[in-house]
Amino acid sequence: MEPNVELVKTLLTHKDLLNPNTRVLARKIIDQVVEQLKKKMQVQVEAAITGAIRRDRHSPRKVFRNLDLKTTIRRNLKNFDNDSGKLLVDRMYFFAAERKKRPWHIIVAVDQSGSMLDSAIFSAVMASIFAELPAVRTSMVLFDTDVVDISDQVGQPVDVLLSIQLGGGTDITRALQYSQQLVREPARTIVVLITDFYEGRAEQDLIRQTRDMAESGVRMIGLGALGYNARPEYHKSTARKLRKVGMDILVCTPERLAECMGEIIRG
């Protein structure tokens, strides 16, 4: 069989039935598919995030490749000479290379429901790409009715996927409460929640928790699906309510997610 996402889903669904020999083979197949996905996604995802971080502030270092042309033009428009038709520039603006001392913190919270397995695969790969960026700190949690912090494995997406325990209930509120405990600087934190929005406890708890985090300055992104051929089946009513209290709701490709995060970072 050709290694692909569907085969990975089958292996993860039945991983508890594998004997030691087939488990080794399964790991090799999953690793091959993960590497294919990462190679496909990495260039555009890294460009979207690192490009935004470089534009997060301006720098006194005058390096031509970091020239912020739009800001330079806008702030020198007052110097436009009507007679000659030329813009006289008295100051140029340059983007900073990166902001090392105050990194952005990305927290990825992934629903372990069976219906979210496609999205979980792409989430694990995305998180591993984030973890390699120099100006980003990445945390990752898996949740059902419990929350498991696997931030120490975020750079090993195969280990992350093999940690997924499919089935059980869902407590999205608890996952967000745990994520909030990880926040150190709300204004520089993005929480990416991957779930079908079918909450196992009172919906009002989830709405209140989302509002509290959004009002503190944390940027919230909720994904009903993440992938290239996603067919999302998520609770649209709950998602709409969360949008009203501050969560961006998306169903998108990994590249579009990175673009959205880049827009948040740029402000």
Side-chain angles (χ1 to χ4, degrees):
M1 293 182 290
E2 179 184 354
N4 55 37
V5 173
E6 289 303 315
L7 180 55
V8 170
K9 287 168 58 180
T10 300
L11 292 172
L12 292 176
T13 300
H14 301 289
K15 67 178 191 253
D16 293 337
L17 303 178
L18 302 177
N19 62 44
N21 290 334
T22 52
R23 185 175 289 270
V24 170
L25 177 59
R27 186 181 183 90
K28 290 180 179 179
I29 292 172
I30 295 170
D31 183 64
Q32 184 178 343
V33 174
V34 163
E35 285 304 310
Q36 290 171 351
L37 290 175
K38 190 170 183 178
K39 185 176 181 180
K40 179 178 181 179
M41 295 157 49
Q42 193 160 19
V43 173
Q44 286 182 264
V45 170
E46 285 186 350
I49 302 296
T50 58
I53 289 173
R54 286 174 178 171
R55 287 155 177 77
D56 192 24
R57 65 184 178 109
H58 285 98
S59 168
R61 295 184 63 229
K62 297 176 174 56
V63 180
F64 179 74
R65 67 175 179 271
N66 291 337
L67 175 64
D68 182 353
L69 186 59
K70 290 184 179 179
T71 300
T72 298
I73 292 174
R74 185 175 66 251
R75 295 192 179 182
N76 285 282
L77 283 175
K78 63 182 183 296
N79 300 326
F80 184 77
D81 185 356
N82 290 313
D83 295 333
S84 65
K86 294 181 179 180
L87 179 65
L88 306 178
V89 177
D90 58 18
R91 181 179 176 186
M92 300 178 72
Y93 294 81
F94 298 83
F95 294 122
E98 63 188 41
R99 182 176 282 189
K100 294 182 178 178
K101 294 183 179 179
R102 298 176 61 215
W104 279 83
H105 187 189
I106 298 175
I107 302 171
V108 183
V110 183
D111 189 334
Q112 296 189 102
S113 301
S115 62
M116 298 303 297
L117 186 52
D118 267 289
S119 298
I121 293 170
F122 286 96
S123 300
V125 179
M126 283 283 285
S128 72
I129 295 173
F130 296 152
E132 294 177 4
L133 301 178
V136 171
R137 184 162 64 94
T138 306
S139 300
M140 189 171 190
V141 300
L142 303 176
F143 69 91
D144 39 42
T145 53
D146 293 316
V147 179
V148 180
D149 192 327
I150 54 170
S151 300
D152 60 338
Q153 301 177 50
V154 75
Q156 291 81 43
V158 177
D159 291 337
V160 169
L161 293 174
L162 290 173
S163 299
I164 291 176
Q165 301 295 324
L166 299 174
T170 306
D171 192 335
I172 308 172
T173 304
R174 187 172 183 179
L176 290 183
Q177 288 171 338
Y178 182 85
S179 298
Q180 189 173 27
Q181 295 175 20
L182 302 177
V183 175
R184 296 294 175 266
E185 191 173 356
R188 297 185 71 79
T189 302
I190 302 173
V191 173
V192 182
L193 171 69
I194 298 95
T195 182
D196 56 13
F197 297 101
Y198 284 93
E199 176 62 304
R201 66 154 82 177
E203 182 186 65
Q204 193 57 42
D205 291 347
L206 175 57
I207 295 170
R208 186 183 305 111
Q209 178 64 30
T210 301
R211 181 190 293 114
D212 289 347
M213 294 177 71
E215 289 181 350
S216 75
V218 175
R219 291 302 301 264
M220 312 282 289
I221 300 176
L223 297 177
L226 178 67
Y228 294 104
N229 299 300
R231 297 179 180 86
E233 294 184 7
Y234 64 95
H235 201 297
K236 294 180 175 60
S237 174
T238 298
R240 282 194 295 270
K241 293 174 183 177
L242 298 184
R243 184 192 296 274
K244 289 181 180 179
V245 296
M247 179 180 286
D248 294 326
I249 305 297
L250 302 173
V251 173
C252 63
T253 65
E255 291 83 2
R256 177 64 191 113
L257 172 60
E259 290 171 4
C260 177
M261 295 170 70
E263 291 166 5
I264 290 173
I265 291 170
R266 283 192 297 269

